[in-house]
Amino acid sequence: MSKLEFGPMPDAQGYFGEYGGQIIPPELQAVMNDIDKAYEEIRQMPEFQDELKTLFADYIGRPSALFHARRLSDKLGGAQIFLKREDLNHTGAHKVNHCLGEALLAKYMGKTKVIAETGAGQHGVALATACALVGIPCEIHMGQVDIEKEHPNVVKMKILGCTLIPVTRGTATLKDAVDSAFEEYLKDPQNYIYAIGSVVGPHPFPKMVRDFQSVIGEEAREQFLSRFGKLPDYLTACVGGGCNSIGLFTAFLNDEDVQMVGVEPAGKGLDTDQHSATLTLGKPGQIHGMKCYVLETEDGEPMPVHSIASGLDYPGVGPQHSYLKDLGRVQYATATDQECLDAYMTLSRVEGIIPALESSHAVAWAIRTAPTLSKDKTILINISGRGDKDADYVAELLKL
Ligand SMILES: Cc1ncc(COP(=O)(O)O)c(C=O)c1O
């Protein structure tokens, strides 16, 4: 296998090619640079590494399983499908990987409060969990629309002891929750830490969150090699902000023969204004302190976006994805709400695994693609989370 040339990313200023950076006032840049410095020091400390490694194993339950979905593969009659089971993690999704990292970092930095936004509630639950474990107060901002849609996660966050702030401004979804949480953070950035829910925001967050999530791909690469003596032909994962996908892709970036596909929500159709396909239809712009692909209105405002999966409706995307798209190293495809619902039901009924609506986007891509490939090809899907949280919503939509 020939080597590509992906060195360490981002550069010292936090750029992935032209994307990323710190598009924030100078005083905030100083705060972010302090976080970066502390992170770079703390991540090298053997006690930090040992604590995180132990918690990944004993608390989250890592490594997550690699499962050969034989019945689904047989049904589709093409490529063999494998699932990386992040849905089996404690809290039911990949978000806990970086939440534990961020909460531990906050503890090592002596911070007094952890603040974050949440979309589907997965990041909120994972962070509230990590903060309960580490013993740091936690405040989560969540759009009112998402609060109503994701009731089980809302209740869990309250049980876990975090302060939940409902956000009613704008479209009352993820973007507004990010704005609200960031405003709270700015009140005392010396003592608070913002625990971003994905590989987005100003440097160093896209790097930090990516590093904590990279365990997904590192494990998958090792599991595949040791079991089959080769790497998968395709990797696929859904893309909201982009952390579960970058977490899977990173370990494989230099494996030229491994093709990678990030799947964005086409919502009600790419020809409507009801989608969230940032890399597919957006253009380079700025949002939340970083340069990345953005979906904008004609006035240059972030577009109100839509996806059946709350965790994917974000008009920006991680800067590393923006860069990988321009380089052509990762392909970005889409799946509609309907395809996603079909995939949710198919995986549930054929394999007995209920995937999150977010993850179902990647499942939809695999279901569409596997029949076009020969049986000796392999597709590895990142099942980023479990779909119990979506069950009532799906049952209502499908009148089950
Ligand atoms: C289960 C699940 N998958 C995927 C995502 C999307 O986030 P990201 O693209 O950062 O992995 C979310 C967000 O809440 C989620 O809950």
Side-chain angles (χ1 to χ4, degrees), residues 82 220-221 224-225 230-235 252 257-259 378-380:
F82 292 83
R221 198 172 183 285
F224 234 87
L225 275 178
K230 59 173 191 169
L231 295 176
D233 295 298
Y234 292 84
L235 307 177
F252 297 88
D257 297 336
V258 178
Q259 300 198 44
T378 52
I379 298 177
L380 173 60

Side-chain angles (χ1 to χ4, degrees), residues 93-95 120 122 198 238-244 311-312 356 358 384-385:
H94 68 295
K95 297 278 177 189
Q122 290 302 119
S198 190
C238 65
V239 181
C243 75
N244 86 91
L312 300 184
E358 288 79 7
S384 54

Side-chain angles (χ1 to χ4, degrees), residues 87 92-95 98 118-124 153 174 197-200 209 213 237-247 263 309-313 317 321 355-360 382-387 389-390:
D87 57 312
H94 68 295
K95 297 278 177 189
H98 72 255
T118 194
Q122 290 302 119
H123 176 59
N153 277 343
L174 185 57
S198 190
V199 282
V200 297
V209 173
Q213 288 293 348
C238 65
V239 181
C243 75
N244 86 91
S245 46
I246 216 76
V263 188
S310 305
L312 300 184
D313 52 8
V317 68
H321 282 289
L357 282 174
E358 288 79 7
S359 327
S360 301
N382 198 27
I383 303 296
S384 54
R386 54 193 292 162
K389 68 179 179 60
D390 304 310

Side-chain angles (χ1 to χ4, degrees), residues 149 308 337 340-342 344-345 348-349 354-357 360 387-400:
K149 202 162 143 193
I308 192 170
D337 287 352
C340 167
L341 268 179
D342 293 344
Y344 180 97
M345 294 306 293
S348 300
R349 293 191 170 177
I354 306 177
L357 282 174
S360 301
D388 311 36
K389 68 179 179 60
D390 304 310
D392 287 345
Y393 182 63
V394 169
E396 202 181 302
L397 281 179
L398 299 181
K399 306 207 178 341
L400 296 178

